[in-house]
Amino acid sequence: MTNNYKWDLSKLYTGYDDPIFLKDYDQLVNYKIENVNTNTSFKQLEEIKDLEYRLRLYVTLRLSVETNNEDTILWSSKVLSTCAVAANQMNELWTKILEDKEIKQSSYYSTYKFIIEEKLNNAKHTLPLEQQEILNLVYPTSKKAFSDMYYALTGNAKANYRGNSLPLTQVKNMCHDNDSNVRKDAFLAELEAYKPIETPLAFAVSAIKKQQLIEARLLGYKDPLEKMLIESRMSSKTLDAMMSSIQKYLPVFRKYLRTKAKMLGYDHGLPWYEIYATLQECDFNFSIEDCESYILDAFEKIGENLHKMAKTAFNEHWIDYPTYEGKQPGAFCENLGWIHESRIITNYNNTLSDIITVAHELGHAFHGEMIEEQAILNRDYCMPLAETASTFNENVMYNYMASILPKKEKLLVIDTQLSALCQNVLDIYARFLFEKSVFEHIEEGFLNAKQLCELMKEALNKSFGDGLDKNWIHPYRWITKVHYYIPDIAYYNFPYTFGALFSRGLYAKFKKEGTSFIPKYEKLLAATTINTCENVASMADINIEEESFWQESLQSIADQIQDFLKELSA
């Protein structure tokens, strides 16, 4: 295969005309369940899960880079409709399994004990099969359709940058450009590009959030946040401890941003277009080859398994790097357990941030590798723990890059890391506040684009405070972040802060214990699919329900800020 830095999906299927694809699709379409006994039900569950996961992931991956491909749009609709029927079949099988009074006698019980007990404990949050079937059947044409519309609109949106019509994603990436004037002009072009699509996306996010609220209450949850916490296997005590700790440290981050603004020549806090600006002139320009070389060198110093996986990912084209028309913005990773690989999408733009993004997504891939030995129904890890390996890798790369570069470049790396940490703490906190306010307002009716922009500005002000210039706040952050449009997950924001602070604690242990910590770390990752967040953390002797842990992680960032500013002025 010619290395055009696009991914290779041929190990999944060679196309929609692949006989294996058509056979799998036909098998899922015509799958008939047999309610014989519990063991048979488990076997069928595994078969359906395997088929629907393969097919769904294939069309999802294709759609992410071919948002305007008619065949992909058609097959995506067909496969997702079939998967909705499959979801009903899996619900029916689970209902039979959980009704079995002798379930502990099943040969599958020891394998699936955690998930069985979890489902039994959450039985009150299930709908009668008939109602759940209706929700599953309308899923492709309701909130999932609005999600697909988001990808189509943003993936094909253009921005007028200095008289040139460019893909919106390309212009968004200019926020990391070395030139302040470029960043400012790109920011203004980005804002203008959202205006033609703000109305349909206001309908989309309003519809998705309203449906999420209705479904949460139908399932017996207080609200979508309670649903997210239970599905995240995370206690409200942990969330409260983390959020209250963040509130106490907001002044530290705001002071850092004000100091940074002053040093860059701004008197009223940072304008948003300078949120990723460095305090010294930055002429970083890292090719994809540079990126891969640095990552391999850094990972080799961490552990053999991580290094080997990354090398395979690069050599066998797991990653789709470039930005092009029809490709969705942002980055993500999908674990493909049946072929023991992953696939990653990024929009690479030669910056240090892009190297960190690739390392981040490879963390998700490594997490996937650690759980591959789990039985097929045990391969789903919760959202907060999903960001553990990815942000651990961020720590690895920032520290590695700072260690190999001269002092000036080292300070630039630390500056970039601190900017990212501000995003993981302040921006994520703002996203959490925004989504909370959207759910509070959506009961009153549809939220238009102007209202959404006002709610976003309010959330950003509550989080960033005087660290931001109020005249240059980004009101369209509700469009820039795909997380609001993910149909099945509400509050996909605080897991990033959890991951950033939890992995910082894990990395501190690695620095203290050295490579002897890595087997423990890998064991911890492998356990994430069959444990609560609290139990996983305890494997590293961490109590995440106590503020002390979160404050220790936050204080380490505060200390890094202080050391950085001191070294900068030396």
Side-chain angles (χ1 to χ4, degrees):
M1 173 180 175
T2 302
N3 195 351
N4 57 7
Y5 292 111
K6 293 187 178 182
W7 59 20
D8 179 10
L9 301 182
S10 62
K11 281 192 180 180
L12 286 71
Y13 301 105
T14 58
Y16 301 122
D17 58 353
D18 184 339
I20 301 175
F21 173 82
L22 295 172
K23 179 184 175 183
D24 286 350
Y25 175 71
D26 184 65
Q27 188 176 348
L28 188 61
V29 168
N30 296 297
Y31 198 97
K32 305 296 182 186
I33 62 174
E34 300 175 12
N35 292 317
V36 179
N37 54 48
T38 296
N39 285 343
T40 302
S41 295
F42 268 118
K43 183 175 183 297
Q44 293 176 104
L45 262 177
E46 291 180 333
E47 291 172 348
I48 296 173
K49 177 71 173 178
D50 183 51
L51 283 169
E52 74 89 25
Y53 194 70
R54 293 178 187 227
L55 292 162
R56 176 166 51 83
L57 263 292
Y58 182 65
V59 297
T60 298
L61 291 171
R62 290 282 300 265
L63 188 63
S64 69
V65 295
E66 303 171 358
T67 58
N68 49 10
N69 182 292
E70 292 184 3
D71 284 343
T72 295
I73 293 169
L74 174 63
W75 273 108
S76 175
S77 176
K78 290 172 66 173
V79 167
L80 290 176
S81 295
T82 303
C83 288
V85 176
N88 288 335
Q89 291 177 318
M90 288 191 284
N91 285 333
E92 183 178 337
L93 289 166
W94 269 117
T95 299
K96 178 173 178 58
I97 290 169
L98 299 176
E99 287 174 349
D100 184 359
K101 303 299 182 184
E102 305 297 323
I103 191 172
K104 293 184 179 181
Q105 308 306 315
S106 167
S107 59
Y108 285 86
Y109 180 76
S110 60
T111 301
Y112 294 123
K113 179 180 178 181
F114 178 80
I115 191 173
I116 289 169
E117 296 299 327
E118 182 178 55
K119 285 183 175 294
L120 286 171
N121 291 334
N122 294 335
K124 62 182 178 181
H125 296 302
T126 56
L127 292 173
L129 279 176
E130 295 80 5
Q131 294 182 30
Q132 187 59 54
E133 284 179 3
I134 294 171
L135 286 179
N136 290 341
L137 289 172
V138 301
Y139 173 80
T141 55
S142 56
K143 57 185 180 179
K144 181 62 171 65
F146 281 111
S147 177
D148 290 343
M149 184 173 76
Y150 170 83
Y151 289 123
L153 290 175
T154 56
N156 289 288
K158 297 292 182 66
N160 186 351
Y161 172 74
R162 295 181 175 179
N164 297 311
S165 180
L166 301 175
L168 173 60
T169 300
Q170 183 178 343
V171 174
K172 281 177 61 181
N173 282 341
M174 292 179 185
C175 66
H176 297 288
D177 195 89
N178 301 332
D179 188 329
S180 177
N181 291 322
V182 170
R183 294 193 295 268
K184 182 177 181 180
D185 289 352
F187 175 71
L188 293 172
E190 180 191 348
L191 294 186
E192 285 299 312
Y194 291 131
K195 290 180 180 179
I197 59 175
E198 65 175 4
T199 297
L201 290 181
F203 274 95
V205 76
S206 293
I208 290 170
K209 294 304 158 189
K210 185 61 177 284
Q211 188 169 342
Q212 287 176 342
L213 179 64
I214 291 170
E215 288 183 8
R217 289 182 173 165
L218 280 174
L219 290 164
Y221 297 101
K222 175 187 173 185
D223 52 31
L225 180 57
E226 183 186 28
K227 182 175 182 289
M228 175 61 164
L229 282 170
I230 290 174
E231 291 176 349
S232 296
R233 298 166 181 168
M234 176 175 164
S235 72
S236 58
K237 190 174 180 181
T238 293
L239 180 65
D240 292 343
M242 184 176 75
M243 288 301 183
S244 60
S245 298
I246 287 169
Q247 289 168 11
K248 291 173 183 172
Y249 275 82
L250 289 177
V252 174
F253 288 95
R254 291 169 179 170
K255 183 179 179 181
Y256 165 67
L257 292 176
R258 289 198 308 275
T259 303
K260 188 169 182 174
K262 283 281 188 183
M263 297 177 79
L264 289 170
Y266 302 101
D267 295 326
H268 306 291
L270 272 182
W272 188 269
Y273 61 84
E274 298 286 43
I275 203 74
Y276 296 111
T278 52
L279 289 171
Q280 294 180 333
E281 184 179 347
C282 179
D283 57 0
F284 284 151
N285 191 300
F286 300 109
S287 68
I288 294 173
E289 293 90 341
D290 293 333
C291 169
E292 295 184 347
S293 177
Y294 283 134
I295 286 175
L296 287 176
D297 194 37
F299 285 5
E300 190 173 24
K301 296 171 174 57
I302 303 301
E304 180 183 354
N305 291 330
L306 179 61
H307 177 261
K308 182 180 178 182
M309 184 220 67
K311 192 172 184 179
T312 301
F314 298 148
N315 290 341
E316 299 188 6
H317 309 289
W318 292 10
I319 305 174
D320 197 274
Y321 282 101
T323 297
Y324 47 87
E325 187 172 350
K327 181 177 180 178
Q328 73 170 64
F332 70 79
C333 172
E334 289 288 1
N335 300 141
L336 312 173
W338 71 93
I339 60 170
H340 305 291
E341 295 183 2
S342 292
R343 289 296 181 271
I344 291 167
I345 187 174
T346 182
N347 285 271
Y348 198 84
N349 198 39
N350 290 47
T351 68
L352 174 62
S353 177
D354 290 304
I355 293 179
I356 302 302
T357 295
V358 174
H360 176 104
E361 299 305 334
L362 285 169
H364 289 304
F366 186 63
H367 199 164
E369 183 173 287
M370 291 298 100
I371 63 172
E372 281 172 3
E373 297 307 313
Q374 295 280 15
I376 189 168
L377 302 180
N378 279 342
R379 291 183 190 163
D380 294 329
Y381 43 74
C382 59
M383 300 315 302
L385 294 175
E387 298 303 331
T388 301
S390 55
T391 44
F392 185 88
N393 277 7
E394 289 188 25
N395 285 299
V396 169
M397 287 311 301
Y398 279 123
N399 282 273
Y400 168 79
M401 297 298 286
S403 72
I404 65 167
L405 296 173
K407 181 179 178 180
K408 178 186 175 183
E409 284 76 13
K410 173 186 175 180
L411 291 174
L412 286 170
V413 171
I414 297 172
D415 194 1
T416 303
Q417 182 182 16
L418 291 174
S419 293
L421 286 166
C422 281
Q423 292 294 295
N424 273 323
V425 177
L426 296 185
D427 188 42
I428 298 298
Y429 184 57
R431 288 194 230 170
F432 176 79
L433 294 176
F434 169 77
E435 189 158 4
K436 196 167 185 291
S437 65
V438 167
F439 278 121
E440 290 169 355
H441 285 81
I442 201 68
E443 290 193 82
E444 300 170 12
F446 165 76
L447 286 166
N448 61 36
K450 182 179 179 180
Q451 291 170 305
L452 289 164
C453 286
E454 288 303 314
L455 289 178
M456 180 52 74
K457 288 191 287 186
E458 183 180 326
L460 288 169
N461 282 324
K462 283 182 180 178
S463 182
F464 285 86
D466 56 6
L468 282 184
D469 185 333
K470 289 179 170 51
N471 294 315
W472 288 94
I473 288 180
H474 196 322
Y476 286 109
R477 294 291 285 171
W478 57 274
I479 295 180
T480 64
K481 291 302 169 185
V482 63
H483 305 79
Y484 300 123
Y485 300 85
I486 298 175
D488 302 317
I489 307 170
Y491 288 102
Y492 193 0
N493 35 61
F494 69 79
Y496 282 98
T497 304
F498 180 100
L501 299 179
F502 180 54
S503 67
R504 195 172 176 94
L506 292 176
Y507 189 75
K509 287 183 176 291
F510 164 70
K511 294 293 286 183
K512 182 178 179 181
E513 300 177 25
T515 54
S516 63
F517 175 73
I518 297 303
K520 185 190 299 184
Y521 169 65
E522 292 177 350
K523 184 178 178 182
L524 179 151
L525 292 177
T528 53
T529 62
I530 50 173
N531 281 282
T532 64
C533 292
E534 291 72 27
N535 287 342
V536 168
S538 70
M539 294 175 67
D541 301 317
I542 294 172
N543 185 346
I544 56 176
E545 290 190 326
E546 296 292 334
E547 285 191 22
S548 56
F549 167 73
W550 302 107
Q551 291 185 18
E552 187 177 335
S553 285
L554 287 160
Q555 185 59 47
S556 74
I557 300 172
D559 293 341
Q560 188 178 6
I561 289 173
Q562 185 175 356
D563 291 344
F564 168 71
L565 293 176
K566 187 184 299 182
E567 192 168 355
L568 194 68
S569 59

